[in-house]
Amino acid sequence: MASLRAPCAASTLPTRRGRSCAFKPVCRVVLERNESSSGAAAFGRAVLAGVASCLVLASSANASSPGVIAGPARVVDGDTLVINGERIRLYGVDAPESAQQCKDAKGAPYACGLVSKDALDKKIGKAPVTCQVKDKDQYGRNVSVCLLGSEDLNGWLVSNGYAVSYRQYSKDYIPAEDAAQAARKGIWAGEFQVPSEWRKQNKRGESGPNTGGDPTPNCATGPAIKGNINAKGEKIFHVPGGKYYDSVRIDLKDGEKFFCTESEATSAGWRKSSQ
């Protein structure tokens, strides 16, 4: 009989476009021919089996392999970069907005959003940055963990008080935030508003001014239920007629949602407002 042994191996090779890395399987069929086999038919079946397993591996690897974007970076703000024309939103962190004001240790206002941007710009300089893409947000931005050499830039921002952990999306940087707060670094030296809350109160989205949240859609039963995420990261939904329904603004880009039924909201992890 012909036997199939160690049909596939894999390696990661760089592609030319965007200097991204793609998983490319290197397949090899090793056949052992037994003198007592039925000959060409068995040999052919083994070859086809080996090719099929390689094709499956290649398809699976390409589907699950995340993208990598690398090159010189332009800093847009404290948590947004552009590399090779690709817009990148740093994963798991939220920096003050460019127009946002904070207070320093003496209570004096300062442009903390611009401070965060300038700090990241100086940190990177002209060095290349490598970003591991985790996902794409609704604006088409590449949500990524970015490295300067071997240093995690997302973590660096939070550790130095230039950004906070974006808790509704990730818990990876909570320890770094706790350490920065204890050491009173950056924005923790004075007073500041959590960026996501600042955007809501100042009627701004991450990409600029808006009209105070996304428009409320209508369901078959009437206006949609509003699934809000508060400053503590708690997911609370408000039904039409509720005390805070009219004042709550929903920003879909911040992970908030609209629902048509209470059961839908509960299943998604939201709890009903007590008022």
Side-chain angles (χ1 to χ4, degrees):
M1 291 288 290
S3 63
L4 182 67
R5 184 177 64 210
C8 296
S11 64
T12 303
L13 300 175
T15 62
R16 291 182 180 179
R17 185 176 181 180
R19 296 179 62 189
S20 63
C21 290
F23 184 86
K24 293 188 177 181
V26 179
C27 298
R28 180 177 59 192
V29 177
V30 180
L31 299 172
E32 293 179 351
R33 300 195 60 179
N34 191 310
E35 293 298 331
S36 62
S37 71
S38 58
F43 182 82
R45 286 194 297 270
V47 170
L48 289 175
V51 171
S53 66
C54 289
L55 290 174
V56 170
L57 176 61
S59 175
S60 174
N62 286 332
S64 61
S65 178
V68 174
I69 300 172
R74 176 171 65 85
V75 177
V76 178
D77 57 33
D79 52 35
T80 309
L81 305 175
V82 174
I83 298 177
N84 298 332
E86 293 284 343
R87 198 171 180 87
I88 294 164
R89 175 62 166 86
L90 299 183
Y91 167 78
V93 306
D94 200 14
E97 295 297 320
S98 297
Q100 188 171 347
Q101 295 278 314
C102 301
K103 292 183 178 180
D104 64 18
K106 296 181 180 179
Y110 73 101
C112 51
L114 294 180
V115 169
S116 293
K117 175 187 176 182
D118 290 344
L120 183 59
D121 200 14
K122 290 177 182 177
K123 175 70 174 176
I124 294 173
K126 296 182 179 180
V129 173
T130 301
C131 295
Q132 184 74 52
V133 180
K134 285 182 165 288
D135 199 0
K136 283 221 175 195
D137 65 14
Q138 63 176 342
Y139 301 105
R141 298 179 301 181
N142 300 279
V143 181
S144 311
V145 174
C146 295
L147 303 177
L148 184 66
S150 60
E151 185 175 11
D152 181 344
L153 286 172
N154 306 41
W156 178 85
L157 283 164
V158 178
S159 295
N160 287 279
Y162 295 123
V164 297
S165 171
Y166 213 165
R167 298 181 181 225
Q168 60 246 51
Y169 293 109
S170 171
K171 300 185 185 303
D172 291 356
Y173 300 107
I174 291 177
E177 179 184 290
D178 291 342
Q181 182 178 9
R184 300 186 64 79
K185 289 186 176 181
I187 54 179
W188 296 104
E191 298 177 19
F192 70 95
Q193 191 171 22
V194 174
S196 59
E197 288 297 311
W198 185 90
R199 288 193 293 270
K200 288 182 182 179
Q201 293 191 11
N202 290 272
K203 300 183 179 181
R204 295 179 68 90
E206 288 192 36
S207 58
N210 59 35
T211 57
D214 293 281
T216 304
N218 285 317
C219 299
T221 56
I225 293 169
K226 296 179 178 180
N228 180 56
I229 301 175
N230 66 20
K232 296 180 180 179
E234 297 173 325
K235 296 180 177 180
I236 302 172
F237 70 83
H238 301 264
V239 299
K243 181 176 180 180
Y244 299 110
Y245 182 85
D246 291 336
S247 62
V248 168
R249 292 190 296 268
I250 298 300
D251 289 312
L252 297 175
K253 61 181 170 39
D254 286 333
E256 297 176 326
K257 296 179 180 291
F258 291 107
F259 304 100
C260 285
T261 66
E262 292 188 29
S263 60
E264 180 187 1
T266 302
S267 297
W270 268 255
R271 66 171 176 85
K272 188 175 182 178
S273 172
S274 59
Q275 301 186 57

